[in-house]
Amino acid sequence: MKSKIVKLLIFIGILAAANVLASFLFFRWDLTQEKRYTISDATKKLLQNLDEQVTIKVYMTGDFPAGFERLERAIQETLESFSDYGGVNLAYRFIEPKDSKVQEELIQKGLIPTNLFANEDGKRTERLVFPGAILVYDGKEYPVQLLKGNSSASSEERLNQSYEGVEFELASAIRRLTQKERKRVGILVGHTKVPPQRFSDFLANLQQNYDLYFDVQNPDSWEKGDLLVIPKPDTPFTDDEKYRLDQFVMRGGKLLMFIDGARVDSISLEGTFAQPLDLNLDDLLFKYGCRVNQNLVKDLSCAMIPLNVGNMGDKPQIKPMPWRFFPLINNFGKHPIVRNLDAIYTRFPSTIDTVEAPGIVKTPLLLTSKYTQIRKAPALVAYNEARQQPDPKDYNTGEKDIAVLLEGSFTSLFNNRLLPNDPRTATFIGKGKPTKMIVVSDGDLIVNDIDYKRGAPLPLGYDRLSEKTFANKDFALYALDYLMDSEGLITARNKQVTLRPLDKLRLKEERTQWQLLNLLGPLAFIGILGGVWQWWRKRKYATK
């Protein structure tokens, strides 16, 4: 009897010790093939260093179809993992926004609703759902859209892409709200004639995360920042400015360049010539590992433009026509910047070639479709081309890069070029620190349109004709975040969850037997287990 009591006390002591130990130590096993329940090290570090509470209000909850339920469950599972590392400094709750006033408030705060259609009692119903969240920290609010992905994918695939992006979207929003030190981004507007209003949406989003300054044709200010953005330059850089750019890169500075290979001014039905654009940067970029070609890309995958195709009576007929000088980019490289990204709207892009540069890793980010045609500048550009039916045989130059990521230790263009008596030799750096840059061969990619009736800028990537907002802003912000992200938070975008759909035909044919198995199987198992248990007890305690 005493031995049984001792064993019981030892067992209780082990349980108590295990509970005490568990309160100090935390671990979990993720047995899924894709590690879908494992968050990145950068996210863990971010959550563990929170000094005040972040409250996450998720508005995606309620009675949803299976795909939306899966996304809701992914959000909940991600937030549970977040709370394991954030502790008391991370709180969350799910709210179903049924009231119309609440819905209007959410729209005003920046959450975009989605129309959800369903059949209830034989009737088709429609309601607004808000697949997003509002983060609150230190009196500040930040909206997060959680339904993302490529619009050309099926609804099931897009929901799965949203599933994969939940961690990054929430973690990056937490970083925006909680960051204490803001990095500096310089905008080189001194070389562009595009009015500031046309960059306003891009700049407004940058200001949420970074301190901005503008060069205003003052190269001395370039050294003050961590990254320089070169937005659609149309005047050449001087040799002195090129030297300053080179030494900025040598000191570890980052570059994000949106530059054209050809200049296209006003266009008429009869046309105008696209002229080669010389920015005096060709030798610098060639030294770093790429070349922006002086040409234009025509792509069968393209946007539409409104065109007068003739008169009906005394009124012109305006119809949308495919404009192959405006490629829609829906072909991406393998990199977290562009993973699960929606299509991107471009205007008169040029091609980029990568060239040999020792120690530099080159990663294509944006690529055209394989149905392309290259027009070398000077090239005739006429709206009347939109009326012509293209011959696919003429669009055979294949996929072309229009955005490239370069990473590594760059070699200065000015090695062995400075004279001994040049005062710049005292501070000259011939081999740079490891850094990275992105070159995009379309200056218009970050130029937003203007609503001239209201005098207000339209969202970056918004197309008036299709009334769709393309992913230009997402690409630009993800690209800049990757360049500035020293902790690697963007690697969370690499998460991949494989869809494993059921065989619908087999499910239909075998539906009854699987239902019976699921219903009667557990009961039969419990019955067998109980029978074995009773047989064992009778055998053990039966009198001999």
Side-chain angles (χ1 to χ4, degrees):
M1 184 67 180
K2 289 183 179 180
S3 63
K4 291 184 179 180
I5 295 175
V6 171
K7 289 180 181 179
L8 179 61
L9 292 175
I10 292 174
F11 179 71
I12 294 173
I14 292 173
L15 285 179
N19 277 281
V20 172
L21 188 63
S23 65
F24 293 98
L25 299 176
F26 168 76
F27 71 94
R28 62 167 60 188
W29 283 344
D30 187 350
L31 300 178
T32 59
Q33 183 179 1
E34 311 96 342
K35 301 300 178 185
R36 66 177 64 182
Y37 304 114
T38 301
I39 61 177
S40 66
D41 292 336
T43 302
K44 294 176 186 176
K45 183 179 179 181
L46 172 71
L47 297 170
Q48 289 168 344
N49 292 332
L50 293 176
D51 53 6
E52 293 184 35
Q53 188 178 80
V54 176
T55 301
I56 302 176
K57 302 175 183 178
V58 182
Y59 293 92
M60 185 173 176
T61 186
D63 184 18
F64 295 140
F68 278 84
E69 281 188 0
R70 185 167 175 265
L71 179 57
E72 179 188 0
R73 188 165 61 250
I75 297 170
Q76 185 169 2
E77 290 166 351
T78 302
L79 290 175
E80 288 173 357
S81 297
F82 277 23
S83 64
D84 290 335
Y85 295 98
V88 296
N89 284 331
L90 191 134
Y92 66 90
R93 63 179 186 269
F94 285 75
I95 304 168
E96 185 175 3
K98 294 182 177 180
D99 187 80
S100 59
K101 291 184 179 179
V102 175
Q103 293 178 353
E104 290 178 4
E105 291 177 2
L106 294 178
I107 293 173
Q108 291 175 356
K109 290 180 179 180
L111 285 188
I112 302 174
T114 297
N115 282 321
L116 189 62
F117 299 94
N119 289 316
E120 297 179 0
D121 299 327
K123 295 182 179 179
R124 183 178 175 85
T125 61
E126 177 184 355
R127 63 190 176 102
L128 284 181
V129 297
F130 287 82
I134 300 291
L135 278 69
V136 182
Y137 174 81
D138 193 24
K140 298 178 291 185
E141 291 186 338
Y142 189 85
V144 179
Q145 203 69 26
L146 296 174
L147 180 61
K148 288 196 169 184
N150 194 292
S151 58
S152 64
S154 67
S155 58
E156 187 177 15
E157 289 173 333
R158 191 177 185 193
L159 284 166
N160 191 64
Q161 292 171 357
S162 303
Y163 182 116
E164 295 171 340
V166 167
E167 178 193 337
F168 172 76
E169 296 298 334
L170 291 174
S172 59
I174 292 173
R175 183 181 61 181
R176 290 186 182 100
L177 283 172
T178 60
Q179 62 183 353
K180 302 301 180 185
E181 297 181 2
R182 291 162 62 92
K183 294 185 177 181
R184 290 173 57 81
V185 175
I187 314 295
L188 274 60
V189 295
H191 282 271
T192 182
K193 298 176 183 176
V194 178
Q197 194 179 17
R198 302 295 297 273
F199 295 119
S200 57
D201 193 27
F202 175 62
L203 297 179
N205 281 273
L206 286 190
Q207 283 181 320
Q208 296 178 7
N209 307 317
Y210 306 100
D211 289 331
L212 304 186
Y213 67 94
F214 300 88
D215 67 317
V216 193
Q217 295 183 331
N218 178 21
D220 292 333
S221 67
W222 297 0
E223 302 175 0
K224 300 177 182 179
D226 302 287
L227 180 145
L228 293 178
V229 178
I230 303 180
K232 195 174 172 60
D234 44 33
T235 57
F237 287 74
T238 66
D239 288 339
D240 180 62
E241 290 173 332
K242 185 161 59 175
Y243 175 82
R244 291 173 182 267
L245 274 180
D246 177 84
Q247 291 301 289
F248 175 79
V249 173
M250 294 305 111
R251 288 190 295 272
K254 283 87 172 174
L255 292 180
L256 179 56
M257 310 174 72
F258 298 89
I259 58 180
D260 295 316
R263 184 198 307 274
V264 181
D265 296 321
S266 59
I267 308 172
S268 64
L269 289 175
E270 293 74 20
T272 187
F273 277 96
Q275 300 293 338
L277 180 60
D278 183 12
L279 298 172
N280 194 27
L281 294 176
D282 291 349
D283 52 352
L284 184 71
L285 292 177
F286 194 90
K287 187 70 174 179
Y288 293 163
C290 76
R291 176 179 60 213
V292 176
N293 298 307
Q294 294 179 334
N295 59 23
L296 294 177
V297 181
K298 294 182 67 179
D299 197 327
L300 291 185
S301 174
C302 60
M304 299 280 188
I305 59 169
L307 193 66
N308 183 1
V309 296
N311 291 335
M312 180 174 287
D314 59 347
K315 294 183 179 179
Q317 292 188 76
I318 307 297
K319 289 188 176 181
M321 303 295 290
W323 183 233
R324 287 168 284 278
F325 288 102
F326 285 6
L328 292 181
I329 303 302
N330 206 15
N331 186 13
F332 306 105
K334 295 181 179 179
H335 196 276
I337 292 176
V338 292
R339 177 167 169 74
N340 292 337
L341 205 62
D342 203 353
I344 292 175
Y345 191 104
T346 63
R347 298 181 180 93
F348 305 113
S350 303
T351 63
I352 297 180
D353 291 335
T354 55
V355 297
E356 181 64 28
I360 303 302
V361 178
K362 311 169 195 71
T363 306
L365 297 178
L366 304 181
L367 302 93
T368 65
S369 77
K370 61 182 180 180
Y371 301 106
T372 58
Q373 182 185 109
I374 306 303
R375 292 279 188 90
K376 189 175 181 179
L380 179 64
V381 180
Y383 280 132
N384 275 325
E385 284 198 36
R387 299 185 182 187
Q388 301 171 5
Q389 183 66 30
D391 185 352
K393 295 180 181 179
D394 296 333
Y395 290 77
N396 56 5
T397 55
E399 298 176 350
K400 298 296 179 181
D401 299 342
I402 66 166
V404 175
L405 166 67
L406 307 173
E407 299 176 282
S409 297
F410 296 90
T411 301
S412 173
L413 172 67
F414 294 87
N415 267 346
N416 303 319
R417 291 192 179 187
L418 299 183
L419 298 174
N421 60 350
D422 193 322
R424 297 178 295 183
T425 57
T427 57
F428 174 73
I429 302 173
K431 185 69 174 180
K433 299 178 181 179
T435 187
K436 39 197 172 181
M437 67 178 68
I438 293 175
V439 181
V440 183
S441 59
D442 178 21
D444 290 295
L445 194 144
I446 56 168
V447 175
N448 58 257
D449 207 345
I450 302 295
D451 184 347
Y452 294 102
K453 291 183 179 179
R454 298 186 297 115
L458 293 170
L460 178 58
Y462 180 78
D463 176 30
R464 294 172 183 267
L465 195 60
S466 64
E467 298 184 344
K468 176 182 177 179
T469 302
F470 292 90
N472 296 42
K473 179 162 54 180
D474 286 340
F475 168 75
L477 296 180
Y478 290 157
L480 197 138
D481 281 349
Y482 177 79
L483 295 176
M484 298 285 273
D485 182 13
S486 58
E487 298 176 352
L489 189 63
I490 199 171
T491 56
R493 283 178 55 79
N494 277 328
K495 179 173 287 187
Q496 185 171 359
V497 179
T498 305
L499 282 173
R500 296 181 175 87
L502 296 174
D503 187 332
K504 294 182 178 180
L505 181 61
R506 186 182 173 190
L507 184 65
K508 183 178 180 180
E509 294 174 348
E510 303 175 8
R511 180 183 184 90
T512 303
Q513 65 189 67
W514 284 107
Q515 286 178 331
L516 290 174
L517 180 62
N518 286 325
L519 180 64
L520 303 178
L523 297 177
F525 177 75
I526 293 173
I528 293 171
L529 191 64
V532 172
W533 173 256
Q534 291 297 326
W535 171 81
W536 180 81
R537 283 177 55 86
K538 287 181 180 180
R539 183 178 179 184
K540 182 176 181 180
Y541 298 108
T543 56
K544 297 183 180 178

